[in-house]
């Protein structure tokens, strides 16, 4: 590991609050030549309306506009982040279908940017965006900084999700037994309690016991919800 990597990891690991952690990310972004940075975390649950957390040092007025107009729903960088972990550069072509949104962002000084996402074992997707008002990102600069930017993306997500997940989605830390995981896996495959009992060579009552325990740990209302949560959180 190179010295700058060790310094970055140390800075992120010693930040003792979400605010301090994000300020550390802002500082690291500035060292890479960016005035602004933003981090968005989209949880895997609930499926009907996933929880989303946003942190940024963008101009306050732009943050308010973005929230009020629900720009998250049309932001091309967000759509890309949910489909691909590959980095993406802000270009006129990227924002061609959302010209008004792009023009408004530029009016707040958000003219040149880069973003990359990362998805973790709990199904949470985090996206780090680095932006500035002046100087486009040249191919030479990107080639020189690409690894450092990707490294920051990865470690920012690890650090912030570690801090945020326990409060936003405590089920992600559920401790399921091997038997509970097994019955939920078969449940997710559409097997009935009777069929699972036959497959696992245990009683149907035992199957329902394990499903009930798993549902309680996952804060699920029924076995279907428990199986979906377990799958989305990476337990199955």
């Amino acid at each position: 590991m190179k010295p700058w990597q060790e310094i970055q990891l140390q800075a992120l690991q010693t930040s003792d609050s979400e605010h301090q952690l994000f300020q550390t990310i802002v500082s690291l972004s500035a060292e890479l030549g960016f005035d602004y940075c933003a981090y968005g975390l989209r949880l895997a649950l609930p499926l009907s309306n996933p929880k989303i957390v946003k942190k940024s040092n963008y101009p306050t007025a732009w943050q308010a506009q973005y929230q009020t107009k629900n720009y998250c729903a049309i932001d091309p960088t967000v759509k890309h982040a949910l489909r691909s972990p590959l980095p993406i550069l802000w270009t006129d072509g990227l924002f061609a279908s959302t010209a008004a949104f792009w023009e408004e962002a530029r009016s707040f000084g958000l003219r040149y940017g880069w973003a990359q996402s990362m998805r973790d074992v709990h199904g949470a997707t985090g996206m780090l965006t680095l932006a500035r008002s002046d100087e486009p990102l040249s191919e030479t600069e990107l080639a020189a900084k690409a690894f450092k930017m990707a490294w920051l993306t990865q470690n920012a997500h690890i650090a912030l999700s570690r801090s945020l997940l326990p409060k936003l989605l405590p089920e992600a830390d559920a401790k399921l037994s091997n038997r509970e995981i097994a019955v939920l896996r078969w449940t997710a495959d559409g097997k009935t309690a009777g069929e699972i009992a036959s497959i696992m060579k245990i009683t149907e009552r035992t199957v329902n016991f394990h499903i009930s325990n798993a549902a309680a740990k996952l804060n699920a209302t029924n076995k279907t919800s428990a199986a979906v949560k377990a799958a989305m959180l990476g337990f199955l």
Side-chain angles (χ1 to χ4, degrees):
M1 187 179 295
K2 296 182 179 180
W4 67 265
Q5 291 175 299
E6 294 180 355
I7 292 171
Q8 188 181 105
L9 283 175
Q10 179 68 16
L12 291 171
Q13 290 173 355
T14 56
S15 297
D16 56 11
S17 69
E18 292 166 25
H19 175 74
Q20 184 181 352
L21 184 55
F22 184 68
Q23 291 308 308
T24 298
I25 295 169
V26 170
S27 296
L28 293 170
S29 300
E31 290 177 10
L32 288 170
F34 295 94
D35 306 315
Y36 303 108
C37 78
Y39 175 81
L41 178 69
R42 184 182 187 272
L43 304 185
L45 298 166
L47 287 176
S48 58
N49 187 26
K51 294 179 182 177
I52 296 175
V53 177
K54 296 187 288 290
K55 294 183 176 295
S56 83
N57 69 337
Y58 289 167
T60 303
W62 170 243
Q63 292 187 53
Q65 285 280 76
Y66 195 96
Q67 183 71 25
T68 301
K69 296 185 178 181
N70 192 28
Y71 278 152
C72 188
I74 66 167
D75 189 335
T77 64
V78 173
K79 292 182 178 180
H80 174 83
L82 295 175
R83 296 193 306 264
S84 172
L86 295 176
I88 190 167
L89 190 66
W90 290 4
T91 64
D92 289 338
L94 175 65
F95 295 98
S97 63
T98 54
F101 163 72
W102 178 222
E103 186 60 34
E104 192 170 353
R106 288 169 64 84
S107 73
F108 284 95
L110 300 168
R111 296 188 177 89
Y112 308 105
W114 173 99
Q116 186 171 19
S117 65
M118 178 183 171
R119 184 170 180 172
D120 61 29
V121 295
H122 297 304
T125 300
M127 181 177 74
L128 181 69
T129 302
L130 307 177
R132 64 193 183 204
S133 301
D134 303 311
E135 293 187 44
L137 281 77
S138 67
E139 291 185 9
T140 300
E141 181 181 9
L142 284 172
K145 297 180 179 178
F147 181 74
K148 290 185 177 181
M149 292 156 73
W151 177 266
L152 179 57
T153 297
Q154 175 177 304
N155 289 293
H157 177 66
I158 291 172
L160 280 169
S161 62
R162 183 188 294 132
S163 175
L164 293 167
L165 272 178
K167 290 175 281 188
L168 298 173
L169 195 63
E171 302 95 309
D173 286 330
K175 307 300 181 185
L176 300 180
S177 69
N178 291 336
R179 278 293 178 90
E180 289 164 355
I181 291 172
V183 296
L184 286 179
R185 186 175 287 124
W186 286 117
T187 298
D189 280 342
K191 301 297 184 181
T192 65
E195 291 172 328
I196 296 172
S198 178
I199 292 169
M200 297 182 65
K201 298 185 177 0
I202 56 179
T203 66
E204 187 171 335
R205 180 178 178 180
T206 300
V207 171
N208 288 326
F209 172 76
H210 288 312
I211 289 176
S212 178
N213 282 346
K217 292 177 181 179
L218 293 168
N219 192 29
T221 54
N222 53 51
K223 68 178 184 180
T224 299
S225 176
V228 169
K229 278 193 170 185
M232 294 299 293
L233 294 173
F235 291 116
L236 305 187

